[in-house]
Amino acid sequence: MFSLEIEFDPDDRDLLIAELWEAGSAGIVELTPRKVRAFFEGDRKALLAQYPGSTVREEEERDWVQSARDLLQPMEVGERFFLVPEWRDDPAPEGRFRIVVNPGMAFGTGVHETTRLCLEALEQYLRPGARVLDVGTGSGILAKAASLLGAERVWACDIDPVAVEIAGMGFVGSADAVRPGVADVVVANISPEAIVALAGDLLRVLRPGGVLLASGFELQEVEQVRAAVGSAREVREKGSWALIVVEKAPK
């Protein structure tokens, strides 16, 4: 048994995960939004050729699928959410919404700091009856959370067809395909490069007085994002990660 530690562009994450499963991985652990560890048996030559620059580590013999699953336990996030891996049947504590997550297939299991930042921000800024756009939906966890919080309408999109299929909602595409002024809340947990590139569209689709919740970047990247999206109402931090809240001026 050996593992490969692979660094990647966040925009390529879902394709990489699908490739690793297709290559026969016995388990995949998400280390950061830019790095995974995948476990394999057998010949490593072809894998090293396919993923040059990856780091190989010899692993002890054990059930790596179960070990990977054991890393993800049910967890409470914010004041309202209870995230449960799909293989668990733990009931939600009273007063919390239960969301089933499918780790390892699309980004957004709730474990990562940026996902938790977005869930907590949705709790504060989403009002019942709001219209929400989730850009880069990944696993769909933020779109599902918005619905549970009482959103009247939720649109979800992702440039990866696999992510849209896994999420079970939304369309293949991005914010540039959405008409202006339709959303009260836009949430985008994507890479800083993607936020900068989409900044105009993320703000364009907001109604006057609406808010953009942007995350997926580290603290040292805050100014890069702020320069693209404009003045921030607040910046939230969790570990080395950040979320920016931008409010569109009312008419």
Side-chain angles (χ1 to χ4, degrees):
M1 173 70 68
F2 66 95
S3 69
L4 293 181
E5 186 176 297
I6 303 171
E7 293 190 23
F8 57 91
D9 186 307
D11 292 337
D12 298 330
R13 179 197 181 277
D14 297 318
L15 178 60
L16 171 64
I17 295 295
E19 287 180 347
L20 292 171
W21 286 123
E22 184 69 22
S25 176
I28 302 171
V29 177
E30 183 177 343
L31 303 175
T32 76
R34 293 179 173 85
K35 187 182 298 183
V36 296
R37 182 178 300 282
F39 300 90
F40 292 93
E41 298 270 12
D43 184 20
R44 67 196 68 184
K45 185 176 180 180
L47 288 166
L48 289 172
Q50 185 174 358
Y51 302 107
S54 58
T55 303
V56 181
R57 189 175 77 182
E58 299 298 327
E59 304 288 354
E60 63 180 286
E61 292 298 325
R62 56 178 163 135
D63 186 345
W64 285 104
V65 173
Q66 187 59 50
S67 296
R69 287 184 168 189
D70 289 343
L71 290 174
L72 188 63
Q73 299 294 318
M75 66 187 310
E76 296 182 0
V77 176
E79 298 180 357
R80 305 287 301 280
F81 297 110
F82 184 65
L83 309 185
V84 186
E86 63 177 359
W87 55 84
R88 305 270 305 229
D89 58 2
D90 307 62
E94 185 176 355
R96 287 185 177 268
F97 296 121
R98 187 179 191 272
I99 299 181
V100 175
V101 295
N102 178 13
M105 291 300 291
F107 182 65
T109 64
V111 171
H112 197 268
E113 289 90 340
T114 59
T115 310
R116 299 204 305 272
L117 281 166
C118 289
L119 289 169
E120 292 166 1
L122 282 171
E123 285 183 340
Q124 177 175 343
Y125 287 100
L126 193 157
R127 299 288 179 266
R131 295 190 167 198
V132 179
L133 173 65
D134 178 15
V135 179
T137 192
S139 68
I141 186 173
L142 299 180
K144 295 170 187 173
S147 294
L148 290 169
L149 289 170
E152 174 189 317
R153 181 75 182 271
V154 179
W155 297 279
C157 61
D158 202 294
I159 60 174
D160 181 3
V162 175
V164 172
E165 182 179 353
I166 292 167
M169 64 178 73
F171 62 91
V172 178
S174 193
D176 58 357
V178 180
R179 68 179 186 271
V182 298
D184 300 292
V185 178
V186 173
V187 57
N189 188 18
I190 51 182
S191 69
E193 295 80 10
I195 293 172
V196 170
L198 291 171
D201 287 311
L202 296 175
L203 297 172
R204 177 184 59 82
V205 300
L206 278 175
R207 291 176 173 177
V211 293
L212 166 64
L213 310 176
S215 191
F217 48 89
E218 298 184 84
L219 293 173
Q220 67 265 25
E221 297 166 318
V222 167
E223 291 309 315
Q224 173 191 355
V225 174
R226 196 201 305 261
V229 298
S231 178
R233 175 171 176 171
E234 66 169 314
V235 177
R236 297 185 175 196
E237 303 176 7
K238 194 177 291 291
S240 63
W241 300 89
L243 175 143
I244 284 181
V245 181
V246 178
E247 184 173 10
K248 188 171 183 176
K251 285 185 177 180

